[in-house]
Amino acid sequence: MEETTRVAPFKAFKRCTGNFRKGDLDLTGIESMDQCRHTLEQHNWNIEAAVQDRLNEQEGVPSVFNPPPSRPLQVNTADHRIYSYVVSRPQPRGLLGWGYYLIMLPFRFTYYTILDIFRFALRFIRPDPRSRVTDPVGDIVSFMHSFEEKYGRAHPVFYQGTYSQALNDAKRELRFLLVYLHGDDHQDSDEFCRNTLCAPEVISLINTRMLFWACSTNKPEGYRVSQALRENTYPFLAMIMLKDRRMTVVGRLEGLIQPDDLINQLTFIMDANQTYLVSERLERCREVPQ
């Protein structure tokens, strides 16, 4: 029955783009021919996007492809009680290690200096394209596909929605939200994703205890979140939850962290803040009319 419901809108919108026969619109619940045309025009005649939004509307889920304008949920990042854990890169060991480090140091310095100068000069020629978020869900899906192509399908379940939607769901469900910002150009990103984020024990913890939202900072949606959370290095993880009636960053993890260490840090952050979620649940129960 559910499958029939989900297929019906596609057929109706498909016919709406063709002969515009009124009888065909009954399958979607849209009785107006003009409304059907208007819905398709809102999605640039993308049938799949229009159908998905129609399904979301029928199921009471907020629009993903064409979300209604609303004030984004604010996140408190200035709490002085934020737990911060930074993993520094290991120092070279032995004569060979230090020799290699000193030989490569000028090359790294030159490369990153030229890269920073180029990016700085490019801003005067044209604005950063990442500053315009036009398809936030597309950014998330694109990152997810590229992640799976590079690291495989064994990974924590990605939240397939915008950052704002993830915040709203975490707030409504009173769950922890783990945000991962991926730095494509950082030397530690590949090792972190391959060996830490895709480790079975890490996957199990994240999937059972929290929501997981991730995006590349090279994508407009990821760049926008990066500007809000202001990470210092990569890999970067932020734990967000409802605390004192505000969505608050309660933990920041930066640097190449190993699987066991990541599990310990995430568990510590959750245990230290679990009482806030318990209090909020009790408060909501009191507000429900008997």
Side-chain angles (χ1 to χ4, degrees):
M1 182 66 182
E2 181 180 354
E3 183 66 26
T4 304
T5 304
R6 300 188 71 85
V7 171
F10 179 84
K11 291 182 179 179
F13 275 118
K14 191 79 172 176
R15 292 167 181 166
C16 186
T17 62
N19 299 327
F20 289 92
R21 293 176 298 181
K22 188 178 186 306
D24 294 332
L25 305 182
D26 295 337
L27 292 173
T28 61
I30 298 178
E31 300 179 356
S32 169
M33 185 79 67
D34 292 336
Q35 184 180 352
C36 181
R37 183 193 294 272
H38 177 67
T39 301
L40 286 167
E41 288 176 348
Q42 280 185 319
H43 297 81
N44 296 319
W45 296 88
N46 184 325
I47 299 176
E48 287 77 9
V51 168
Q52 185 60 55
D53 257 1
R54 181 61 181 165
L55 291 172
N56 287 344
E57 182 181 340
Q58 291 174 344
E59 296 171 3
V61 178
S63 171
V64 170
F65 291 91
N66 189 29
S70 61
R71 183 183 177 186
L73 190 62
Q74 298 296 314
V75 177
N76 179 20
T77 60
D79 193 329
H80 67 279
R81 295 168 292 178
I82 293 177
Y83 176 77
S84 182
Y85 184 80
V86 180
V87 180
S88 302
R89 288 190 60 81
Q91 294 294 325
R93 293 184 179 180
L95 185 61
L96 184 62
W98 276 104
Y100 177 78
Y101 175 78
L102 293 174
I103 291 173
M104 295 301 297
L105 183 60
F107 293 100
R108 289 198 191 98
F109 177 79
T110 303
Y111 170 76
Y112 285 110
T113 300
I114 293 176
L115 186 62
D116 289 341
I117 293 175
F118 175 75
R119 288 175 174 171
F120 180 77
L122 195 61
R123 294 176 185 174
F124 291 95
I125 301 174
R126 65 184 180 90
D128 192 331
R130 298 178 300 174
S131 60
R132 294 189 60 191
V133 182
T134 58
D135 184 13
V137 176
D139 293 340
I140 304 303
V141 173
S142 175
F143 170 71
M144 183 183 69
H145 288 165
S146 64
F147 186 98
E148 290 183 342
E149 288 176 1
K150 198 166 187 179
Y151 308 111
R153 294 181 176 272
H155 56 73
V157 176
F158 291 106
Y159 183 94
Q160 296 187 46
T162 68
Y163 175 62
S164 295
Q165 289 173 331
L167 289 173
N168 279 311
D169 278 354
K171 180 179 181 179
R172 184 179 66 253
E173 299 172 14
L174 293 178
R175 297 182 66 184
F176 290 98
L177 171 64
L178 183 64
V179 173
Y180 169 60
L181 293 178
H182 183 79
D184 293 82
D185 302 325
H186 197 275
Q187 55 189 336
D188 292 333
S189 294
D190 278 349
E191 184 177 347
F192 172 77
C193 291
R194 200 178 306 278
N195 299 329
T196 299
L197 196 55
C198 293
E201 58 272 26
V202 172
I203 295 174
S204 177
L205 175 68
I206 293 176
N207 287 349
T208 56
R209 300 281 307 270
M210 64 201 79
L211 297 177
F212 180 66
W213 185 93
C215 193
S216 166
T217 54
N218 284 351
K219 303 289 185 182
E221 176 71 351
Y223 179 73
R224 181 175 69 86
V225 177
S226 170
Q227 295 297 294
L229 297 181
R230 299 189 177 280
E231 71 282 5
N232 297 309
T233 187
Y234 301 98
F236 174 80
L237 294 160
M239 185 74 88
I240 303 174
M241 61 171 288
L242 184 64
K243 180 179 180 181
D244 299 329
R245 296 301 180 96
R246 297 181 63 185
M247 293 303 288
T248 304
V249 177
V250 294
R252 296 167 59 96
L253 307 177
E254 300 180 84
L256 183 56
I257 186 170
Q258 299 303 312
D260 290 343
D261 199 8
L262 176 59
I263 291 174
N264 291 336
Q265 296 302 324
L266 292 178
T267 303
F268 174 80
I269 294 172
M270 288 188 291
D271 289 346
N273 292 279
Q274 189 69 42
T275 54
Y276 292 99
L277 293 183
V278 173
S279 298
E280 184 62 32
R281 289 191 183 99
L282 292 175
E283 187 66 25
R284 289 187 182 183
C285 288
R286 296 192 192 100
E287 294 175 355
V288 176
Q290 300 297 325

